[in-house]
């Protein structure tokens, strides 16, 4: 039973009163040019609670959470119950930043466990946030908060999503956040108009030989440089990584051929992503690149991130063998960052182990890290691999790595990644010296 537009179990305004109030708050916000925020909150799994504990139990949970919401918002905003397990909070004079912060605080308070006799219930919620726009219909405004909540729920709940920040379908139909959408667009432009290039970073052995050069992707569109850390995840999400990967495979192989023709018989290490290696067409792409670039397979090495080895599918295993049989080297990249399964390591036909920069930056002071590096190096050696340390910037790090038995070093201490011309110049100067 409801009296005076108040929901009895929570003490919040009921739906009709909420809509009345919304009209009044929106008019007054428009007249005084003040902000108005709406949070739409949906509790998760209330259906299960009702099934397990009956409707009385469900009501008790709702009442307890309503109490928490009221306390957390500390008199800011008007609370409404829109139906079963959905609430709205209308907050005058509240900008997007504060609304988002309040949504986070509310999520946190909702998530505190609720005791049911011997059982602890772990509530959670999805929250949509909207800010009233100039001349906007108040109902459209509230609908935006509802829709943003729907997005938060589809993303798994336990989160807040602001209206206008919901993911949108990109060119290839994959749902992307705004920034990702922008990057996807830049990537298409780069692929179509030639904004991609490779920079090369030498890997230098302790014996003075150039072990290899690593090819690192660079992407520039309209004078904006997009770093690999942003570009690769979007490419992987959209599937564009296959095209990017084929491009870098061919460009890297051509570079190996150029170096060889210039008299520097150095391996070029090319990064390969999980998606590429999981494709049944990878072997074809590899052979095509070797053929087009007219390069000997011994001059190519593929860098595979350690995460790839968590579970190796038959296709991946077959692709690794195709590469090795052809004579292409295989390096395990970013080794030691937490994904490798040592049991898998013995089955991978890798020729090189690249220790992650995380171990290097704490050297030489962290003696435990030093011990780990030493043991990983021994392990790599025992398995017949060349061991490389990545991201070396200081002489003291280099000295520690030499002591640990590492074979070769990649890092700013020797050279930063550079374009092809600059690399040739670097080689020339080095030979002259
Ligand atoms: P990665 O393969 O581990 O490459 C090494 C990264 O460490 C490069 O960053 C390099 O510039 C950086 N680095 C090298 N020496 C130093 C140093 O002394 N100090 C510091 N602070 N950093 C150093 P970059 O070029 O930004 O590439 C980041 C990652 O993006 C790469 O990590 C690789 O996983 C990925 N990536 C780059 N190009 C490609 C590509 O063509 N295909 C795929 N799938 N991934 C790529
Ligand atoms: Mg790499
Ligand atoms: Mg690496």
């Amino acid at each position: 039973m409801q009296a005076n537009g108040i929901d009895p179990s929570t003490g919040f305004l009921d739906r009709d009163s909420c809509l009345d109030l919304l009209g009044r708050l929106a008019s007054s916000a428009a007249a005084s040019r003040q902000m108005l925020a709406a949070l739409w909150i949906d509790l998760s799994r209330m259906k299960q609670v009702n099934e397990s504990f009956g409707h009385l139990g469900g009501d008790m949970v709702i009442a307890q959470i309503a109490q928490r919401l009221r306390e957390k918002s500390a008199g800011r905003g008007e609370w409404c119950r829109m139906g079963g397990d959905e609430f709205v909070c209308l907050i005058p004079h509240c900008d997007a930043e504060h609304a988002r912060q309040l949504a986070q605080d509310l999520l946190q308070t909702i998530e505190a466990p609720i005791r049911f006799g011997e059982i602890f219930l772990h509530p959670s919620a999805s929250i949509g946030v909207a800010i009233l726009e100039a001349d906007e219909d108040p109902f459209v405004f509230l609908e935006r908060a509802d829709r943003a909540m729907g997005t938060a729920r589809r993303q798994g709940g336990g989160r807040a999503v602001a209206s206008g920040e919901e993911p949108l379908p990109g060119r290839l139909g994959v749902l992307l956040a705004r920034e990702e959408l922008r990057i996807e667009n830049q990537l298409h432009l780069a692929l179509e108009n030639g904004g991609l290039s490779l920079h090369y970073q030498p890997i230098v052995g302790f014996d003075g030989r150039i072990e290899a050069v690593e090819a690192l992707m660079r992407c520039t569109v309209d004078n904006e440089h997009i770093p690999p850390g942003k570009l690769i995840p979007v490419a992987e999400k959209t599937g564009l990584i296959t095209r990017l990967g084929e491009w870098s495979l061919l460009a890297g192989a051509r570079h190996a051929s150029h170096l060889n023709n210039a008299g520097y018989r150095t391996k070029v290490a090319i990064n390969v992503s999980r998606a590429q290696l999981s494709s049944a067409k990878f072997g074809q792409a590899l052979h095509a690149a070797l053929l087009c670039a007219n390069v000997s397979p011994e001059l190519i090495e593929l860098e595979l991130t350690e995460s790839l080895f968590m579970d190796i599918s038959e296709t991946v295993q077959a692709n690794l063998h195709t590469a090795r049989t052809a004579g292409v080297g295989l390096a395990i990249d970013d080794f030691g960052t937490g994904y490798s399964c040592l049991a898998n390591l013995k089955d991978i036909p890798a020729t090189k182990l690249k220790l992650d920069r995380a171990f290097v930056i704490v050297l030489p002071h962290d003696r435990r890290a030093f011990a780990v590096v030493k043991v990983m190096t021994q392990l790599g050696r025992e398995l017949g691999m060349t061991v490389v340390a990545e991201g070396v910037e200081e002489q003291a790090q280099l000295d520690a790595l030499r002591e640990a038995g590492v074979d070769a070093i990649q890092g700013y201490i020797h050279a930063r990644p550079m374009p092809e011309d600059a690399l040739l110049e670097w080689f020339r100067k080095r030979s002259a010296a």
Side-chain angles (χ1 to χ4, degrees):
M1 263 301 159
Q2 282 166 224
N4 312 322
I6 303 289
D7 168 60
S9 24
T10 58
F12 290 175
L13 292 177
D14 65 17
R15 188 184 183 90
D16 289 344
S17 311
C18 175
L19 298 181
D20 285 347
L21 179 69
L22 171 67
R24 276 180 276 129
L25 289 179
S27 307
S28 103
S32 58
R33 293 171 182 268
Q34 293 287 354
M35 302 266 206
L36 176 64
L39 305 187
W40 192 301
I41 301 168
D42 172 64
L43 301 181
S44 315
R45 298 185 298 272
M46 279 311 292
K47 194 163 164 274
Q48 276 159 274
V49 173
N50 284 331
E51 279 166 9
S52 308
F53 302 99
H55 280 93
L56 276 180
D59 282 353
M60 200 202 89
V61 170
I62 298 265
Q64 204 160 329
I65 289 178
Q67 178 64 22
R68 289 181 187 175
L69 293 175
R70 196 195 319 269
E71 277 167 15
K72 195 71 192 180
S73 56
R76 284 198 77 189
E78 301 287 346
W79 281 99
C80 316
R81 184 174 181 187
M82 301 309 279
D85 54 2
E86 303 206 4
F87 306 106
V88 160
C89 185
L90 299 170
I91 319 159
H93 312 294
C94 180
D95 62 19
E97 195 45 48
H98 284 98
R100 204 193 306 258
Q101 186 54 53
L102 178 60
Q104 289 304 336
D105 293 346
L106 293 177
L107 277 174
Q108 213 175 20
T109 189
I110 289 171
E111 282 169 8
I114 294 179
R115 195 184 175 129
F116 245 111
E118 297 296 295
I119 298 171
F120 280 97
L121 209 76
H122 294 272
S124 75
S126 306
I127 304 186
V129 180
I131 304 294
L132 181 70
E133 287 173 3
D135 301 325
E136 190 178 24
D137 180 319
F139 294 105
V140 173
F141 157 60
L142 197 60
E143 251 174 49
R144 284 198 294 117
D146 187 9
R147 232 176 306 128
M149 179 279 291
T151 305
R153 191 167 49 191
R154 279 190 300 282
Q155 290 179 352
R159 69 188 67 208
V161 167
S163 168
E165 284 174 10
E166 298 105 326
L168 299 168
R171 282 210 216 177
L172 301 171
V174 179
L175 283 181
L176 299 170
R178 304 264 149 159
E179 175 65 3
E180 293 176 326
L181 212 59
R182 201 178 66 80
I183 293 174
E184 185 200 25
N185 204 34
Q186 307 277 62
L187 265 174
H188 278 283
L189 289 175
L191 276 164
E192 283 152 23
N193 308 333
L196 296 176
S197 63
L198 290 177
H199 280 196
Y200 301 93
Q201 187 178 31
I203 301 171
V204 183
F206 276 112
D207 58 6
R209 271 184 337 108
I210 308 298
E211 224 296 309
V213 294
E214 177 173 7
L216 294 156
M217 187 172 289
R218 298 294 177 256
C219 176
T220 309
V221 177
D222 296 335
N223 291 324
E224 186 197 350
H225 169 65
I226 307 154
K230 282 191 174 175
L231 174 141
I232 303 291
V234 174
E236 283 180 341
K237 214 165 164 178
T238 53
L240 275 175
I241 192 72
T242 319
R243 279 173 71 192
L244 284 187
E246 281 176 9
W247 179 87
S248 61
L249 205 55
L250 182 58
R254 285 209 166 116
H255 176 67
S257 169
H258 295 170
L259 279 180
N260 190 39
N261 293 342
Y264 306 109
R265 207 178 151 73
T266 304
K267 274 182 290 187
V268 174
I270 302 165
N271 290 285
V272 174
S273 79
R274 190 188 179 91
Q276 275 176 278
L277 214 66
S278 305
S279 154
K281 290 191 184 144
F282 179 75
Q284 259 176 331
L286 177 63
H287 282 297
L290 293 172
L291 214 66
C292 286
N294 188 24
V295 70
S296 152
E298 293 81 53
L299 292 180
I300 301 298
E301 192 167 70
L302 304 178
E303 289 202 6
L304 320 161
T305 65
E306 195 195 17
S307 64
L308 207 117
F309 304 114
M310 273 189 304
D311 66 298
I312 310 179
S313 69
E314 273 176 27
T315 315
V316 169
Q317 192 67 263
N319 284 335
L320 293 177
H321 275 100
T322 304
R324 277 306 295 135
T325 314
V328 168
L330 297 177
I332 302 177
D333 205 354
D334 308 333
F335 185 73
T337 43
Y339 297 107
S340 43
C341 170
L342 291 182
N344 281 342
L345 196 60
K346 71 174 177 16
D347 299 325
I348 301 161
T351 46
K352 183 180 278 178
L353 198 61
K354 296 187 77 179
L355 306 182
D356 194 76
R357 177 164 177 262
F359 297 101
V360 173
I361 44 179
V362 294
L363 294 180
H365 309 291
D366 189 333
R367 295 315 285 178
R368 296 174 74 87
F370 176 78
V372 174
V373 167
K374 207 167 159 180
V375 171
M376 289 194 299
T377 304
Q378 277 169 3
L379 176 70
R381 283 281 188 76
E382 286 290 324
L383 292 171
M385 298 190 249
T386 304
V387 181
V388 172
E390 297 184 280
V392 184
E393 296 182 3
E394 293 164 13
Q395 186 61 42
Q397 295 168 341
L398 187 136
D399 293 338
L401 291 161
R402 186 204 310 266
E403 192 190 329
V406 165
D407 298 297
I409 295 294
Q410 177 177 4
Y412 297 169
I413 192 163
H414 287 309
R416 290 189 177 242
M418 53 195 138
E420 178 159 356
D421 293 351
L423 182 80
L424 279 166
E425 189 51 34
W426 186 86
F427 267 107
R428 251 175 243 127
K429 278 197 182 133
R430 211 181 140 84
S431 314

